[in-house]
Short mmCIF file of all heavy atoms in Angstrom, two decimals:
data_model
loop_
_atom_site.label_atom_id
_atom_site.label_comp_id
_atom_site.label_asym_id
_atom_site.label_seq_id
_atom_site.Cartn_x
_atom_site.Cartn_y
_atom_site.Cartn_z
N LYS A 128 -30.95 4.39 -7.51
CA LYS A 128 -30.74 5.79 -7.15
C LYS A 128 -31.96 6.33 -6.40
O LYS A 128 -31.81 7.19 -5.53
CB LYS A 128 -30.43 6.62 -8.39
CG LYS A 128 -29.07 6.27 -8.98
CD LYS A 128 -28.56 7.29 -9.96
CE LYS A 128 -27.26 6.84 -10.62
NZ LYS A 128 -26.07 7.01 -9.80
N LYS A 132 -31.75 8.15 -2.82
CA LYS A 132 -32.28 9.50 -2.64
C LYS A 132 -33.32 9.53 -1.51
O LYS A 132 -33.37 10.48 -0.72
CB LYS A 132 -32.93 9.98 -3.94
CG LYS A 132 -31.92 10.45 -4.98
CD LYS A 132 -31.18 11.69 -4.50
CE LYS A 132 -30.95 12.72 -5.54
NZ LYS A 132 -30.21 13.90 -5.07
N ALA A 143 -28.63 16.93 -3.89
CA ALA A 143 -29.34 17.80 -4.83
C ALA A 143 -30.85 17.54 -4.73
O ALA A 143 -31.28 16.40 -4.54
CB ALA A 143 -28.86 17.52 -6.25
N VAL A 165 -29.85 17.26 -14.06
CA VAL A 165 -29.11 16.03 -14.35
C VAL A 165 -30.14 14.90 -14.41
O VAL A 165 -31.01 14.81 -13.54
CB VAL A 165 -28.08 15.76 -13.23
CG1 VAL A 165 -27.32 14.48 -13.50
CG2 VAL A 165 -27.10 16.93 -13.14
N LYS A 167 -30.81 10.81 -14.56
CA LYS A 167 -30.11 9.57 -14.21
C LYS A 167 -31.03 8.36 -14.34
O LYS A 167 -32.16 8.40 -13.84
CB LYS A 167 -29.62 9.62 -12.75
CG LYS A 167 -28.76 10.83 -12.43
CD LYS A 167 -28.24 10.78 -10.99
CE LYS A 167 -27.30 11.94 -10.71
NZ LYS A 167 -26.61 11.83 -9.42
N GLY A 174 -21.78 3.05 -14.62
CA GLY A 174 -21.23 4.40 -14.50
C GLY A 174 -21.61 5.33 -15.65
O GLY A 174 -21.16 6.46 -15.70
N VAL A 177 -25.75 8.55 -16.35
CA VAL A 177 -25.99 9.92 -15.87
C VAL A 177 -25.75 10.92 -16.99
O VAL A 177 -24.70 10.91 -17.62
CB VAL A 177 -25.05 10.22 -14.67
CG1 VAL A 177 -25.18 11.68 -14.26
CG2 VAL A 177 -25.38 9.30 -13.51
N PHE A 178 -26.75 11.77 -17.25
CA PHE A 178 -26.61 12.84 -18.24
C PHE A 178 -26.62 14.18 -17.52
O PHE A 178 -27.63 14.56 -16.94
CB PHE A 178 -27.77 12.81 -19.24
CG PHE A 178 -27.76 11.60 -20.15
CD1 PHE A 178 -28.19 10.36 -19.68
CD2 PHE A 178 -27.31 11.71 -21.46
CE1 PHE A 178 -28.17 9.25 -20.52
CE2 PHE A 178 -27.30 10.61 -22.30
CZ PHE A 178 -27.73 9.37 -21.82
N VAL A 179 -25.49 14.86 -17.54
CA VAL A 179 -25.40 16.20 -16.93
C VAL A 179 -25.79 17.18 -18.05
O VAL A 179 -25.06 17.32 -19.03
CB VAL A 179 -23.97 16.46 -16.42
CG1 VAL A 179 -23.87 17.85 -15.80
CG2 VAL A 179 -23.57 15.39 -15.39
N GLU A 209 -32.48 15.62 -11.16
CA GLU A 209 -32.06 16.44 -10.01
C GLU A 209 -31.35 17.70 -10.45
O GLU A 209 -30.86 17.80 -11.58
CB GLU A 209 -31.21 15.62 -9.04
CG GLU A 209 -29.90 15.13 -9.61
CD GLU A 209 -29.07 14.38 -8.58
OE1 GLU A 209 -29.63 13.63 -7.77
OE2 GLU A 209 -27.84 14.56 -8.60
N GLU A 210 -31.30 18.66 -9.55
CA GLU A 210 -30.67 19.95 -9.87
C GLU A 210 -29.18 19.71 -10.14
O GLU A 210 -28.55 18.85 -9.51
CB GLU A 210 -30.85 20.94 -8.71
CG GLU A 210 -29.90 20.68 -7.58
CD GLU A 210 -30.08 21.57 -6.35
OE1 GLU A 210 -29.77 22.76 -6.44
OE2 GLU A 210 -30.49 21.03 -5.30
N ARG A 211 -28.64 20.48 -11.07
CA ARG A 211 -27.22 20.34 -11.40
C ARG A 211 -26.39 21.15 -10.41
O ARG A 211 -26.61 22.35 -10.25
CB ARG A 211 -27.01 20.84 -12.83
CG ARG A 211 -25.57 20.73 -13.25
CD ARG A 211 -25.43 21.02 -14.72
NE ARG A 211 -24.03 21.20 -15.03
CZ ARG A 211 -23.57 21.43 -16.24
NH1 ARG A 211 -24.40 21.51 -17.26
NH2 ARG A 211 -22.28 21.58 -16.44
N LEU A 212 -25.46 20.51 -9.76
CA LEU A 212 -24.61 21.16 -8.76
C LEU A 212 -23.27 21.54 -9.40
O LEU A 212 -22.81 20.87 -10.33
CB LEU A 212 -24.34 20.21 -7.59
CG LEU A 212 -25.57 19.69 -6.85
CD1 LEU A 212 -25.17 18.62 -5.85
CD2 LEU A 212 -26.29 20.84 -6.13
N GLU A 213 -22.65 22.59 -8.86
CA GLU A 213 -21.34 23.01 -9.36
C GLU A 213 -20.32 22.91 -8.23
O GLU A 213 -20.65 23.20 -7.08
CB GLU A 213 -21.38 24.47 -9.85
CG GLU A 213 -22.40 24.76 -10.94
CD GLU A 213 -22.05 24.13 -12.29
OE1 GLU A 213 -20.88 23.74 -12.50
OE2 GLU A 213 -22.97 24.02 -13.13
N GLU A 216 -15.40 17.67 -7.29
CA GLU A 216 -15.87 16.37 -6.81
C GLU A 216 -14.79 15.71 -5.97
O GLU A 216 -13.60 15.77 -6.30
CB GLU A 216 -16.19 15.46 -7.98
CG GLU A 216 -17.53 15.78 -8.59
CD GLU A 216 -17.93 14.77 -9.65
OE1 GLU A 216 -18.10 13.57 -9.32
OE2 GLU A 216 -18.06 15.18 -10.80
N LYS A 238 -13.47 11.95 -14.16
CA LYS A 238 -14.46 11.15 -14.89
C LYS A 238 -14.44 11.38 -16.40
O LYS A 238 -14.73 10.47 -17.16
CB LYS A 238 -15.87 11.47 -14.39
CG LYS A 238 -16.03 11.29 -12.92
CD LYS A 238 -17.08 10.27 -12.56
CE LYS A 238 -17.19 10.27 -11.06
NZ LYS A 238 -17.69 9.15 -10.41
N ASN A 248 -18.23 11.21 -20.09
CA ASN A 248 -17.84 10.57 -18.83
C ASN A 248 -17.41 9.13 -19.05
O ASN A 248 -17.93 8.44 -19.91
CB ASN A 248 -19.03 10.58 -17.85
CG ASN A 248 -18.99 11.77 -16.91
OD1 ASN A 248 -18.07 12.59 -16.97
ND2 ASN A 248 -19.96 11.85 -16.04
N GLY A 295 -19.83 9.75 -3.23
CA GLY A 295 -19.39 10.67 -4.27
C GLY A 295 -19.93 12.05 -3.90
O GLY A 295 -21.15 12.22 -3.78
N MET A 297 -19.99 16.46 -4.03
CA MET A 297 -19.69 17.71 -4.74
C MET A 297 -19.48 18.76 -3.66
O MET A 297 -20.33 18.95 -2.79
CB MET A 297 -20.86 18.11 -5.65
CG MET A 297 -20.55 19.30 -6.52
SD MET A 297 -19.49 18.87 -7.92
CE MET A 297 -20.71 18.48 -9.17
N LEU A 306 -23.54 13.25 -4.25
CA LEU A 306 -23.99 12.94 -5.61
C LEU A 306 -24.52 11.53 -5.68
O LEU A 306 -25.48 11.24 -6.39
CB LEU A 306 -22.83 13.08 -6.60
CG LEU A 306 -22.27 14.48 -6.83
CD1 LEU A 306 -21.06 14.41 -7.74
CD2 LEU A 306 -23.34 15.38 -7.42
N GLU A 307 -23.85 10.62 -5.00
CA GLU A 307 -24.25 9.20 -5.06
C GLU A 307 -23.56 8.45 -3.93
O GLU A 307 -22.55 8.90 -3.39
CB GLU A 307 -23.81 8.58 -6.39
CG GLU A 307 -22.29 8.57 -6.55
CD GLU A 307 -21.77 7.69 -7.69
OE1 GLU A 307 -22.53 6.85 -8.20
OE2 GLU A 307 -20.59 7.84 -8.02
N PHE A 308 -24.15 7.30 -3.62
CA PHE A 308 -23.45 6.32 -2.79
C PHE A 308 -23.12 5.11 -3.65
O PHE A 308 -23.92 4.71 -4.49
CB PHE A 308 -24.34 5.85 -1.63
CG PHE A 308 -24.49 6.86 -0.53
CD1 PHE A 308 -25.75 7.35 -0.19
CD2 PHE A 308 -23.39 7.31 0.19
CE1 PHE A 308 -25.89 8.28 0.84
CE2 PHE A 308 -23.53 8.23 1.22
CZ PHE A 308 -24.79 8.72 1.55
N ASN A 309 -21.95 4.53 -3.43
CA ASN A 309 -21.62 3.25 -4.03
C ASN A 309 -21.39 2.25 -2.90
O ASN A 309 -20.99 2.62 -1.80
CB ASN A 309 -20.39 3.35 -4.91
CG ASN A 309 -20.66 4.18 -6.17
OD1 ASN A 309 -21.74 4.11 -6.74
ND2 ASN A 309 -19.68 4.97 -6.57
P1 LIG B 28 -23.38 9.53 -10.23
O1 LIG B 28 -23.26 8.17 -10.85
O2 LIG B 28 -24.73 9.83 -9.71
O3 LIG B 28 -22.27 9.88 -9.28
O4 LIG B 28 -23.06 10.54 -11.41
C1 LIG B 28 -21.89 10.41 -12.20
C2 LIG B 28 -21.26 11.76 -12.42
O5 LIG B 28 -22.20 12.68 -12.96
C3 LIG B 28 -20.78 12.41 -11.13
O6 LIG B 28 -19.52 11.96 -10.76
C4 LIG B 28 -20.79 13.87 -11.52
O7 LIG B 28 -19.64 14.20 -12.28
C5 LIG B 28 -22.00 13.98 -12.40
N1 LIG B 28 -23.19 14.36 -11.61
C6 LIG B 28 -24.06 13.52 -11.00
N2 LIG B 28 -25.03 14.21 -10.35
C7 LIG B 28 -24.76 15.51 -10.54
C8 LIG B 28 -25.37 16.74 -10.11
N3 LIG B 28 -26.50 16.75 -9.38
N4 LIG B 28 -24.81 17.90 -10.49
C9 LIG B 28 -23.69 17.92 -11.26
N5 LIG B 28 -23.05 16.80 -11.69
C10 LIG B 28 -23.57 15.62 -11.35
#
Side-chain angles (χ1 to χ4, degrees):
K128 292 195 185 282
K132 281 295 220 181
V165 179
K167 305 183 176 189
V177 174
F178 292 78
V179 180
E209 64 177 38
E210 78 184 290
R211 180 171 167 177
L212 302 172
E213 302 291 343
E216 281 187 63
K238 304 240 184 203
N248 265 0
M297 187 76 92
L306 293 175
E307 63 167 345
F308 285 120
N309 292 322

